[in-house]
Amino acid sequence: MCGRYTITVSLDELMLRYFIEGTPLVNYTPKYNAAPVQQIPAVIHDGTRNRLGELRWGLVPSWSRDDKGGSTRINARAETLLEKASFKGLIRSRRCIIPADGFYEWKQGPDGKRPMRIVLPERRIFSLAGLYDIRVDEEGNRLSTCTIITTEPNSLMADIHNRMPVILTPEAETQWLDRSNEDIPSLLRLLQPYDSSQMRAYPVSAAVGNVRNDYPELIKEA
């Protein structure tokens, strides 16, 4: 699964990376320990251009009777997307990208589990494949939520965990965000394990295990 990640760059860097012209994220701050049920930055395409906004991590389907249950849908398995009622209708038109520059996973060792941070070369920004939905209650209040898609681990991640988030290649990003793309089989083929040779994992402080902790020292190599 993917239950914690980081996006530590500036808002300007995010906007430049995803060709964003303007954004409502006036209160954006870097996240060193993004966790479920938090508001997180996300990118969608409105049919004309990319848009950067916030979604709550943990999907609540539009048809849900209430706004509960999001914490149980923080991830969606790529292999079973079309089998789950909460996700199967979203892949056609409600796809999003979750920008990240690292994610955490816990590796089992002789002395227990130890948190690891996984990054790309030069710790550059990468795109996690996601799905989103919007629930409107009887009073007209909108709740926009998302889930991060996971897949089988590559050789690097297999030594740490049995799942990993789907990291889209730059070419796949455009296809994933394109709202006119309704070719489900081709979209599903984008959800592959990322090239392990382009990833690095290193141990970090156990303090990352507490969701209340969110500061730069968390990403330092322990």
Side-chain angles (χ1 to χ4, degrees), residues 4-5 12 30 44 64 70 73 78 85 92 100 102 144 159 172 174 177 184 187 197 200 207:
R4 302 287 179 82
Y5 77 95
D12 286 344
I44 66 168
S64 180
R73 302 186 193 94
R92 185 176 299 276
S144 301
D159 189 48
T174 301
L177 287 179
I184 305 302
L187 288 166
S197 68
R200 172 179 176 252

Side-chain angles (χ1 to χ4, degrees), residues 156-167:
L156 173 78
M157 287 302 300
D159 189 48
I160 301 172
H161 198 269
N162 62 359
R163 301 293 293 176
M164 67 177 291
V166 171
I167 300 174

Side-chain angles (χ1 to χ4, degrees), residues 92-112:
R92 185 176 299 276
S93 61
R94 289 195 163 172
R95 304 182 297 272
C96 65
I97 278 174
I98 310 300
D101 57 11
F103 64 92
Y104 298 112
E105 196 53 80
W106 276 253
K107 180 179 180 179
Q108 183 66 52
D111 300 319

Side-chain angles (χ1 to χ4, degrees), residues 198-209:
Q198 296 298 308
M199 301 174 69
R200 172 179 176 252
Y202 64 90
V204 294
S205 168
V208 76

Side-chain angles (χ1 to χ4, degrees), residues 179-203:
R179 294 185 67 173
S180 67
N181 185 358
E182 297 185 354
D183 185 345
I184 305 302
S186 71
L187 288 166
L188 291 175
R189 285 195 291 271
L190 301 177
L191 308 178
Q192 302 296 324
Y194 200 74
D195 182 358
S196 61
S197 68
Q198 296 298 308
M199 301 174 69
R200 172 179 176 252
Y202 64 90

Side-chain angles (χ1 to χ4, degrees), residues 50-72:
N50 286 347
R51 294 173 55 194
L52 175 65
E54 282 188 327
L55 297 170
R56 196 179 80 179
W57 187 7
L59 192 126
V60 176
S62 60
W63 43 261
S64 180
R65 293 182 179 180
D66 53 44
D67 60 1
K68 307 295 190 298
S71 60
T72 65

Side-chain angles (χ1 to χ4, degrees), residues 22-33:
T23 176
L25 288 184
V26 293
N27 295 318
Y28 169 84
T29 56
K31 289 181 176 292
Y32 298 91
N33 193 16

